[in-house]
Amino acid sequence: MRELPSSRRRVLLSGMLGTALATALSRLFPIRMAQGQTTEAAMPAITYPETRRSDVVEERFGHRIADPYRWLENDARRDREVAAWMAAQDRTARAYLASLPARESFHARLTTLFDHERLTAPQQRGGRYFFTRNAGLANQAMLIMREGADGPDRVLIDPNAWSSDGTRALAEWSASEDGRLVAFGVQESGGDWRTIRVLDVARGAFLEDEVRWARFTTLAWAKDGSGFFYSGFPAPADDTRSAAPVGGHAVHFHALGTAQAQDRVVHATPDQPHLVHVATVTDDGRYAAIFSSPGSGGSTPTIVDLSRPGWPSRTLVSNFDHFWAVIGCVGTNVILATQQGAARSRIVSFDLAAADADFVELVPEQDGTLSDAVLLGGRLVASYMVDVKTEVRRYRLDGTPDGAVALPGIGTAGAFRGRLADNEAFFTFTSFNAPTTIHRYDVSANVSTIWAKADVTIDPRIVVKQRFYASKDGTQVPMFLLRRADITGPAPTMLHVYGGYGISVVPMYSPALLAWVERGGVVAVANIRGGGEYGKAWHDAGRLLAKQNSFDDVIAAGEYLKAEGIAAPNGLAIQGSSNGGMIVGAAVNQRPDVFSAALPGVGVMDMLRFDRFTGGRLWVNEFGDPADEADFRNLLGYSPYHSVRSGAAYPAILVTTAEADDRVVPAHSFKYVAALQAADLGDRPRLLRIDTRAGHGTGKPIPQLIEELTDMLAFAARWTGLV
């Protein structure tokens, strides 16, 4: 799940481009049903694999907690029974999914929608421009370099040659200040562990340096190129990527030409082993800025002075009550974003040279939520979400307003790349019905031009609108609606949710959403509480003991879609992944009557044991601590695994996970599906689809991703009456 914040908690854009012309629809999708109707005809009967029940029962705070499927927590690579059960479940699911009438046409359409060039905004170092590119259907994106922004492309790193099945991926990467070297992470089978290597750009050769066991990391070079900062955990005791809990995260410095054992520990908190620390280096190279967080709720900034012997450090804030992030430095003045005294964030400065320095406000809290801020071309450029739509505002370095950056329309702008001393910068823009474009930005002239865009045509009938609906307690919740203009009556609807970790669900181009809308369906994106759309207060209103608000918002969204004649009466599907997968599971348990189909992906489903696996302890600040009685009772009340309602009529449920997911271990999904299949929930299917050699989502080969999305769309279409 995306619960770990980046150094600036940026909106990460991964635009997936493409659409269809109206004339193609009748050829691609000739088989139609009346919208909102379903039929049981010609569908195979499902016999679920047998799942052994054990007699595991624990007494906790006066409750006897049965856990009959705990044996499914065992590692399938070591436990033959788990491996056999997993294989049988996946075979059952795929046999059913292969029989769905819409599968072939969805697969063809998604393949077309993904088959276009996708680039990232470039990073300029030493006159060289570095970015990633996927030509369309390649398993993985390549790292590209140009001599000059408009020079010819040169492939530096092609991970498609690293493995026969495309499951080794290029992860984090960073070029040195002079553009001579690139440090990059290698991701295996979608896992969170990284092996870091270094490429000599001119020679196209890898250095002997190798750093293992990096995880939840950034890569930041020293100004002189002598080495780089990275983050990681101690090597696992058994030298495997098991589900064992991790702790002891730290920032290290690797000096080129030395063994990893000699790497310097720059920042660690052994007395708080469950904090995560990531580092950046300021443009002038003088300071390393380290961002430390318990995973949710707050953070602290630490500044390391790289110009002084011993690299002395100074932690500017001693508690985790508020979110803090370092934007950059101007001389000895560090510029930060903070939620202290401003739920939607404000921008402050701190003079590191002053003995009695205090925080000085530069930009007060605005009418929107600060989502990103950077120093570019002698300006402070800040991106705000105003009702979940981006506005980019400029300020002088003293905080004086300096106009706005014009955007192509209503959508999401982000991924700003540039330097304080450079006039040139780059950023991306996307929306639900607009492919991601990369803009080259002249800071002094405040003018942007398109640097790269997808060669696709957008169906002009696809429209996006925003509505607000009332949740159970009267809170107004925003929702985006995406549909064809000619679809005016109730239609099969896909409701997408996330609602956690202060992460905002923003307008973003997606082939899967477009494929659904092209077919005549509606997509609804509900910005429920728990996200960051309206800052800290919105996040806090959907976490810890207030988590029920998130489920209430989801249920109210479903009721609103039906009451307003948007969703067909029996045609509402709900989809969410990771934290969103948990939201789906909990909402369906509480109100199964609202939904016709549910697609929970890689979800946290056992809320009483999540903290016992991999980085799960980092989620306690979001969900609560199962060892605390008040938190335990709250978690037990909504835990998807523990609150399945036998005797109720449930929607059709397709659970998706991956056997190598070391963020949210697949045991969560395994146990949840076992509980669903054992309960009396009606005749609709409850299936488990498992990808092999894949993890939590990142690094998944494009063909494998298309297969997964195809199955999800075909399943939802079948049970909402879209097809």
Side-chain angles (χ1 to χ4, degrees), residues 231 427 530 677:
S231 305
F427 68 90
Q677 292 178 354

Side-chain angles (χ1 to χ4, degrees), residues 300-303 314-318 324 326 334 336 350 352 359:
T300 61
T302 297
I303 306 299
R314 182 176 181 179
T315 298
L316 304 185
V317 181
S318 60
W324 292 82
V326 173
V334 58
L336 307 100
F350 186 93
L352 296 169
F359 295 103

Side-chain angles (χ1 to χ4, degrees), residues 22 76 84 114 301 330 411 467 499 537 541 550 591 596 679 686:
F114 273 98
V330 180
R467 299 222 188 153
S550 299
R591 287 291 304 278
S596 295
R686 291 165 293 281

Side-chain angles (χ1 to χ4, degrees), residues 579-663:
N579 176 87
M582 180 273 290
I583 296 283
V584 170
V588 166
N589 282 343
Q590 293 183 17
R591 287 291 304 278
D593 59 299
V594 173
F595 310 102
S596 295
L599 303 167
V602 292
V604 186
M605 300 306 199
D606 185 343
M607 302 309 297
L608 303 186
R609 290 176 61 80
F610 69 83
D611 59 326
R612 299 170 185 247
F613 307 104
T614 61
R617 187 67 193 174
L618 297 170
W619 313 338
V620 165
N621 271 33
E622 181 71 18
F623 300 135
D625 188 344
D628 176 85
E629 183 172 1
D631 287 344
F632 166 83
R633 294 184 185 280
N634 186 55
L635 293 164
L636 178 61
Y638 70 79
S639 176
Y641 171 53
H642 297 93
S643 55
V644 174
R645 296 170 54 193
S646 190
Y650 265 51
I653 301 175
L654 174 62
V655 179
T656 53
T657 188
E659 55 90 19
D661 190 343
D662 55 6
R663 182 107 42 108

Side-chain angles (χ1 to χ4, degrees), residues 10 54 111 116 272 286 435 451 624 689:
R10 280 187 171 151
S54 69
T111 300
H116 60 84
Q272 295 176 287
R286 178 171 177 177
W451 185 73
R689 185 190 187 280

